[in-house]
Amino acid sequence: MKKIFLLFSIVISTCVVAQKKPTLFLIGDSTMANKENPDKNPEHGWGQVLNQFFTAGIEIQNHAMNGRSSKSFRTEGRWNTIEKQLKKGDFVIIQFGHNDQKVKDSTKFTNPYTQYRANLERYVKETRAKGAIPVLMTSIVRRNFNENGALIDTHKEYPLVVRMVADDLNVPFVDMQLLTEQLEIAYGPENSKKLHLHFKEGEEPYYPKGKDDDTHLSKLGADLEAKLAAYALKNLKTGLEKFIK
C-alpha cells in the first residue's frame, strides 16, 4: 500500500512540475523565424537558434513567420493560437516592424503612430491579461552602409514607437536595433556580409544563381544576434534570466 501511495505521489509531483514549466513564445517576422531545411539552408532566423542559450527548464515556441507584420500576424489567426495557450508565468517576445513598412501591401502595412502602436499595445495587454510577461524588441537592422561606410537606418519611425510603448506601458524592452547596429558596424561594410546572405553564382548549392540579401541572416549572423538577445534578456530581471545559461 505504501509503495502504491509513493508511486501516486511521484506521478502527481511530476505532473505539477510539468504544468509549472513556463513557455517562451516568440512572435515576429522572417528575421526571427525558423527556416526550412536548416541543415542545408544558409538562412537562419535568430529565434531559430535561441534555444542554445537557454536551459531545459523552459520551452521555447517560435511562432515568428516570414512576411508577417503586427497586423497580419493577428488577422491570420496566429496570435489567437498563442493566446489560447498562454498561462501565468509564460513569456512573449514581440518583434515586428520590417513588414509593417510595406505601403504597397494593405494586408501588412500599418501607420507607425496609429495602427502599429495600437497593435503592440494590444499584444502587451492581452499577454498580461493571461498572467504572462511581454517583452518588446525593436527590429534588427539591415546591412545598409553608404558610400562613406556609415550604417544607415531603414526602419524610420517604427523602432521609436516600440520604445514609446515600452516606456508608456512599463514593458521589459530590448533594443535589438541598437545591439545589431553595433554588431554590423563592428564587422564593417565588407566583413558584415558574413552576417547575411551573400553568395556568388555557383558558390552555394542552395542558391545556385547567387544571393545578395542584406536583411536576412546567415547561421553566423543568427547565432551572434541570438546571443545578443539572450544577454540582454538576462539583464532585464523579468524572471526569464534564471532559464538563460
Side-chain angles (χ1 to χ4, degrees), residues 8 14 16 67 73 77 79 81 93 107 110 122 139 151 156 158-159 169 187 199 206 241:
F8 181 74
T14 302
V16 170
F73 194 87
W79 173 246
T81 298
I93 292 178
T107 66
T110 60
R122 190 174 172 189
S139 297
L151 187 69
K156 299 181 180 180
Y158 291 88
L169 298 185
Y187 267 71
F199 302 102
Y206 207 81
E241 66 276 2

Side-chain angles (χ1 to χ4, degrees), residues 87-139:
K87 62 184 183 298
K88 186 176 180 179
D90 285 344
F91 302 86
V92 181
I93 292 178
I94 305 158
Q95 186 191 62
F96 292 102
H98 276 90
N99 300 300
D100 285 82
Q101 292 182 294
K102 294 185 176 180
V103 294
K104 294 183 179 180
D105 189 340
S106 62
T107 66
K108 298 175 182 178
F109 174 72
T110 60
N111 180 306
Y113 293 115
T114 54
Q115 294 180 65
Y116 181 64
R117 175 167 184 142
N119 289 343
L120 295 182
E121 290 178 345
R122 190 174 172 189
Y123 284 125
V124 167
K125 292 175 181 178
E126 290 174 353
T127 297
R128 285 175 167 170
K130 291 283 191 163
I133 299 172
V135 177
L136 283 170
M137 289 187 174
T138 45
S139 297

Side-chain angles (χ1 to χ4, degrees), residues 173-192:
F173 169 70
V174 175
D175 196 347
M176 288 297 283
Q177 181 191 33
L178 173 61
L179 295 176
T180 57
E181 180 180 273
Q182 291 171 336
L183 178 65
E184 298 279 351
I185 292 171
Y187 267 71
E190 186 61 29
N191 206 32
S192 58

